[in-house]
């Protein structure tokens, strides 16, 4: 007979490793099941860096979660001894009415977040690598920066293990079911069958298959990250003086990028925020093509003329989008007593990883959370979830 657990966590990427850490730290007997190895490159939590920011243009409702995530990243760094987050400042650049600028300003004002508004001349003076158009402005915030996805996942797995969680890698979940009468869940893998009181599902880009029963029309998008060696060297791009940035052009196209965070040879990373192509985890094209590199270099050069000096490398990654690009974090509507899900992070979830772990631990252990997660209710996206339609 396989041992029984309090909670099984399906998927040990960004969100699942956070859940395993928070659950185990609260004393739950946790089993984590992951299809691939620890800290792998085949999901959504790799590529060296993720932007973190607080004046959130997407919606002010995210701000309390961002403030909590900020505290929990600091605690994670302290407890694991790993450098998981760096605040180098950040600029949201665009026309004053753009979503990037106006949305960020709305969040900053709603929550009274420290920020500065810079006109084009001031942007150029403060950040000489940036060359905005005369009618562009920026919201600058000192409490923006970057988090390290691989270090974060490794830190969370390390702490989960130290708190007694059993973490099984290379062991995919093939099927799960909620047991009748509130008796928990049964989870199947090629190696074994496990039972637990609770299941927490953090499937990333595998959500369309693993959570078909939710009835949410997820779309999985191939995204590319690019690293360039700036013309004239990386010194002006050093994180001590260079912010992270998101820039929206007049046509609404957003790019984002980072300082040169890996020293003189690492280059600086830049990417289109959206503009991906549809894919599945099975058929994603992992090759980055020359025309893609050219298009990225041309767009980046409009704001940062020296950035695309020499192309260094590129890598693909997947977004798991919901139709409105807001997350799904909830008790499973068809199994509200036993199953919790976190998915559909729509390309902006990593900065929330530790607070999502805290929320998932709340939901799995007590059935509720004090954090504001109303925006993430899947009911907004689907009139009627398919009862029992789960795999
Ligand atoms: C290019 C790119 C740039 C991004 N930039 C930012 C950014 O700047 N800021 C930001 O906040 N966010 C950003 N994001 C988004 C953020 O990285 C994601 O929202 C986050 O990583 C999602 O974490 P996850 O745990 O849902 O997915 P993942 O980390 O992919 O984890 C899902 C895990 O489930 C496992 N799994 C799947 N099926 C099974 C199964 N059957 N059995 C066992 N295990 C299974 C997978 O192997 C995987 O490890 C970016 C994403 C990409 C791709």
């Amino acid at each position: 007979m396989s041992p029984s657990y309090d909670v099984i966590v399906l998927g040990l990427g960004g969100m699942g490793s956070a859940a395993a850490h928070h659950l185990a730290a609260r004393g739950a007997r946790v089993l984590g099941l992951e299809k691939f190895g620890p800290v792998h490159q085949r999901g959504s939590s790799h590529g060296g860096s993720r932007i973190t920011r607080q004046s959130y243009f997407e919606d002010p409702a995210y701000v309390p979660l961002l403030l909590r995530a900020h505290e929990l990243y600091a605690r994670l760094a302290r407890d694991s001894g790993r450098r998981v987050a760096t605040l180098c400042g950040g600029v949201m650049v665009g026309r004053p009415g753009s979503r990037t600028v106006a949305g960020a300003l709305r969040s900053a004002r709603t929550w009274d977040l420290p920020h500065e508004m810079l006109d084009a001349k001031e942007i150029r003076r403060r950040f000489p690598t940036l060359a905005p158009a005369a009618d562009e402005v920026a919201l600058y915030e000192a409490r923006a920066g970057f988090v390290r996805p691989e270090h974060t996942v490794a830190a969370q797995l390390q702490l989960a293990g130290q708190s007694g969680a059993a973490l099984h890698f290379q062991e995919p979940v093939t099927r799960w079911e909620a047991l009748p009468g509130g008796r928990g869940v049964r989870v199947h893998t090629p190696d074994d069958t496990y039972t637990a009181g609770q299941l927490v599902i953090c499937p990333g880009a595998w959500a369309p298959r693993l959570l078909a029963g939710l009835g949410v029309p997820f779309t999985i998008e191939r995204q590319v990250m690019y690293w360039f060696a700036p013309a004239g060297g990386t010194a002006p791009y050093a994180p001590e003086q260079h912010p992270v940035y998101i820039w929206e052009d007049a046509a609404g196209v957003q790019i984002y990028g980072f300082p040169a965070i890996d020293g003189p040879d690492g280059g600086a990373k830049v990417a289109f925020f959206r503009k991906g192509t549809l894919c599945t985890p099975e058929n994603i094209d992992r090759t980055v093509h020359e025309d893609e590199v050219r298009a990225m270099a041309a767009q980046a050069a409009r704001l940062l003329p020296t950035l695309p000096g020499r192309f260094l490398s590129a890598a693909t990654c997947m977004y798991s989008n919901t139709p409105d690009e807001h997350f799904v974090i909830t008790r499973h509507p068809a199994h509200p007593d036993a199953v919790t899900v976190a998915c559909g992070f729509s390309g902006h979830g990593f900065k929330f990883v530790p607070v999502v772990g805290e929320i998932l631990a709340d939901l799995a252990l007590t059935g509720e959370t004090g954090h504001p997660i109303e925006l993430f209710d899947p009911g907004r996206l689907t009139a009627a979830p398919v009862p029992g339609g789960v795999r």
Side-chain angles (χ1 to χ4, degrees), residues 51 85 103 173 249 263:
I51 287 185
V173 172
D249 74 9

Side-chain angles (χ1 to χ4, degrees), residues 49-108:
S49 53
R50 293 289 186 265
I51 287 185
T52 180
R53 53 198 159 91
Q54 297 188 341
S55 298
Y56 218 54
F57 68 77
E58 287 87 343
D59 199 300
Y62 287 91
V63 174
L65 299 176
L66 289 163
L67 298 178
R68 180 63 180 154
H70 178 81
E71 291 173 359
L72 290 175
Y73 265 114
R75 192 202 287 177
L76 182 63
R78 202 178 57 231
D79 293 349
S80 68
R82 293 176 197 255
R83 186 129 197 225
V84 290
T86 302
L87 298 185
C88 58
V91 282
M92 312 297 128
V93 187
R95 291 181 170 176
S98 63
R99 185 178 179 225
T100 304
V101 173
L105 188 56
R106 181 168 160 238
S107 272

Side-chain angles (χ1 to χ4, degrees), residues 10-16 33-36 40 43-45 50-51 171-173 202-204 206 210 223 225 256 317-319 345 347-351:
L10 188 167
L12 294 173
M15 305 302 168
L33 293 170
E34 165 58 48
K35 190 182 176 76
F36 299 120
H40 64 88
S44 305
S45 299
R50 293 289 186 265
I51 287 185
E171 188 173 346
V173 172
C202 303
W206 287 261
L210 281 159
Q223 296 287 341
M225 306 170 271
Y256 65 92
C317 176
M318 291 178 284
Y319 284 2
F345 286 94
H348 62 115
F350 209 91
K351 64 184 79 60

Side-chain angles (χ1 to χ4, degrees), residues 186-201:
R186 192 180 292 129
V187 174
H188 306 266
T189 75
D191 299 347
D192 215 333
T193 296
Y194 306 93
T195 55
Q198 296 286 320
L199 174 61
V200 175
I201 305 182

